[in-house]
Amino acid sequence: MLERRDLNISNIISLARIILVIPFFLLLINRQDVSALIVGIIAAISDFFDGWFARKFGLITELGKTIDPIGDKLLMAAGAVALFVRGDMPLWFFIFVFARDIVILLGGFYMKRSTGRVVQSNIFGKVAFAVTAVVILGVIANVPHFIDYGYYIAALFLILSSISYARFLINFIKDKS
């Protein structure tokens, strides 16, 4: 249930990012790359600002801890689906992004069910999102070598963040036993 505390600038920015997923996807799938790039940059930058406001002004809420990573995952999924459909993203990366996010979401649901709380994204997840967002935006902008090397660089950061989340979950399960 929404509480008055949930209606804050940080959560509004996160919700705006979720809303921006729709025009980002539609612009990208229709190859309106300049407009998609602008919307994508705004959405990606909003991830920094929602977190900054939340930490700076003590606006961290359970709702925010839920919608922030959902916004990240939806934005990443929209970019991945559109780029894959267009033929601009390799199948292995497309599958990797989705498999990783599904596993992390399932782990998050398990943690929520076990503790009643939502676990906040960690620094490794934030960096992986930022690097992957830059790579996706670089591919959209047709920056040289992003298609050749960017996916491998993003995959490395996604693997590192996956290891971090897996270690956290394993330690949680061990401590619970």
Side-chain angles (χ1 to χ4, degrees):
M1 180 159 186
L2 282 179
E3 298 178 15
R4 185 172 179 84
R5 187 173 176 344
D6 289 326
L7 297 174
N8 63 54
I9 186 69
S10 180
N11 291 346
I12 291 168
I13 292 171
S14 291
L15 288 171
R17 182 168 63 256
I18 291 170
I19 292 166
L20 286 175
V21 167
I22 297 166
F24 176 65
F25 176 79
L26 293 173
L27 290 165
L28 196 52
I29 203 77
N30 288 304
R31 295 190 177 271
Q32 296 177 3
D33 290 352
V34 173
S35 297
L37 195 58
I38 293 167
V39 172
I41 289 169
I42 291 167
I45 290 172
S46 76
D47 184 48
F48 167 79
F49 283 107
D50 68 7
W52 183 82
F53 278 111
R55 287 184 298 279
K56 176 86 173 162
F57 298 107
L59 302 174
I60 297 171
T61 64
E62 293 298 303
L63 176 66
K65 288 191 274 185
T66 301
I67 63 174
D68 175 55
I70 287 173
D72 295 348
K73 288 174 184 6
L74 288 173
L75 187 62
M76 188 107 52
V81 168
L83 288 175
F84 178 73
V85 167
R86 288 172 36 160
D88 293 331
M89 178 178 284
L91 178 62
W92 68 266
F93 189 78
F94 177 76
I95 291 170
F96 182 72
V97 166
F98 273 91
R100 174 194 173 270
D101 282 352
I102 288 169
V103 169
I104 288 174
L105 281 171
L106 291 174
F109 288 135
Y110 173 76
M111 296 291 294
K112 170 77 172 152
R113 206 174 103 229
S114 298
T115 66
R117 292 187 6 231
V118 177
V119 178
Q120 214 170 340
S121 299
N122 68 25
I123 188 67
F124 295 106
K126 289 293 186 184
V127 170
F129 170 76
V131 169
T132 305
V134 167
V135 167
I136 288 173
L137 294 171
V139 169
I140 295 167
N142 204 22
V143 175
H145 306 299
F146 267 69
I147 291 175
D148 298 330
Y149 305 109
Y151 291 123
Y152 297 105
I153 294 167
L156 174 65
F157 281 92
L158 291 168
I159 289 167
L160 292 174
S161 75
S162 298
I163 291 168
S164 170
Y165 284 122
R167 289 180 68 195
F168 180 82
L169 186 59
I170 289 167
N171 288 336
F172 174 78
I173 292 169
K174 280 182 186 176
D175 291 344
K176 197 174 168 187
S177 301

